[in-house]
Amino acid sequence: MYDPTVARLTYRALLGRRRAAILFVLPALLIVIAVAVRAFAGADDQVASDVLGGFAIATMVPLIGVIAGTGAIGPEIDDGSIVYLLSKPVKRPTIIFTKLIVAIAVTMVFSAVPTMIAGLILNGNGQQIAVAYTIAALVASIAYSALFLLLGTVSRHAVVLGLVYALVWEALFGSLVPGARTLSVQQWSLALAEKTGGGGTITSDVGLPAATALLIVVTVVATWYAGQKLRTLKLAGEE
């Protein structure tokens, strides 16, 4: 289910000069914000939770997920270079699974690691806040990667659709419409963070059992469906 050649090509595409520069911007901004907040506000658990929840989980993680998830396959489909992979004796679900693993790895590194660093800067992991939000970033990275990889497989406008989900559905509707939060990867990941963090500083609108089940279902279904959609892509001259 994992092909090293596909993985190497995907890593090369995601970590190219232009895309890597974009991936570094948000984590760097989070660290700068954490340093500035700590300097002006000191070590405060609620402030640390607000920064990590409001920027890291609500903005940085989904945006990096969009870049990594759609970038793992979308550009190859757009420019036709996916034909090179489809012509090889590699099962198409294997291609999807390999690209998913790469997208997850990239998203985790560029989101969970800076989240942990920012948490330590903000309050030294008081109330386990840094660890809790790092767990949320890790879990969200998996679901976002699967969702946005699926979008990259089924649509040429995957980046736009991903941004609409991340910034409009989760950030806007999620803050205005309580029912929309139930269908939010952000809230599902926060359910695990709430269980880990102390002091009641982290809350989620979704219970832990439901959040866990939804994370698993969405990841599995999105990955399976992306594999099925890739099967339908026909090579030139293929009957």
Side-chain angles (χ1 to χ4, degrees):
M1 291 297 292
Y2 181 85
D3 187 276
T5 301
V6 175
R8 185 174 65 254
L9 293 173
T10 307
Y11 275 119
R12 185 180 302 172
L14 287 179
L15 300 178
R17 184 175 302 175
R18 182 181 301 177
R19 200 176 298 274
I22 297 174
L23 287 171
F24 273 107
V25 169
L26 289 172
L29 181 58
L30 173 63
I31 301 301
V32 170
I33 291 173
V35 171
V37 170
R38 178 62 186 264
F40 288 105
D44 185 283
D45 294 344
Q46 187 59 57
V47 171
S49 182
D50 291 342
V51 172
L52 295 178
F55 183 79
I57 302 301
T59 303
M60 183 184 72
V61 180
L63 289 181
I64 291 176
V66 170
I67 296 170
T70 60
I73 195 170
E76 291 177 299
I77 293 178
D78 290 342
D79 63 21
S81 60
I82 190 68
V83 171
Y84 169 79
L85 287 180
L86 299 183
S87 65
K88 300 299 179 181
V90 181
K91 294 181 179 179
R92 298 186 184 187
T94 297
I95 295 175
I96 289 294
F97 184 77
T98 302
K99 288 182 173 294
L100 174 63
I101 295 300
V102 173
I104 289 173
V106 170
T107 306
M108 284 183 172
V109 168
F110 284 92
S111 61
V113 173
T115 297
M116 185 67 181
I117 295 172
L120 293 175
I121 292 172
L122 286 165
N123 76 334
N125 196 36
Q127 300 291 340
Q128 293 290 305
I129 287 175
V131 171
Y133 278 108
T134 299
I135 291 173
L138 289 170
V139 171
S141 295
I142 299 173
Y144 281 131
S145 296
L147 278 173
F148 298 138
L149 180 65
L150 171 61
L151 287 179
T153 306
V154 303
S155 174
R156 292 182 178 272
H157 307 290
V159 174
V160 174
L161 294 175
L163 291 175
V164 167
Y165 174 80
L167 300 180
V168 177
W169 178 264
E170 292 208 338
L172 181 59
F173 282 94
S175 63
L176 299 176
V177 184
R181 299 170 191 162
T182 305
L183 300 177
S184 168
V185 174
Q186 176 187 333
Q187 292 298 320
W188 303 343
S189 63
L190 285 176
L192 278 78
E194 181 181 12
K195 186 69 174 179
T196 306
T201 56
I202 306 173
T203 59
S204 173
D205 292 326
V206 183
L208 182 58
T212 303
L214 287 168
L215 283 166
I216 294 172
V217 169
V218 166
T219 301
V220 171
V221 171
T223 304
W224 171 82
Y225 191 62
Q228 296 304 306
K229 292 299 292 183
L230 195 61
R231 287 177 184 272
T232 66
L233 290 178
K234 299 294 184 182
L235 300 177
E238 184 179 4
E239 297 297 333

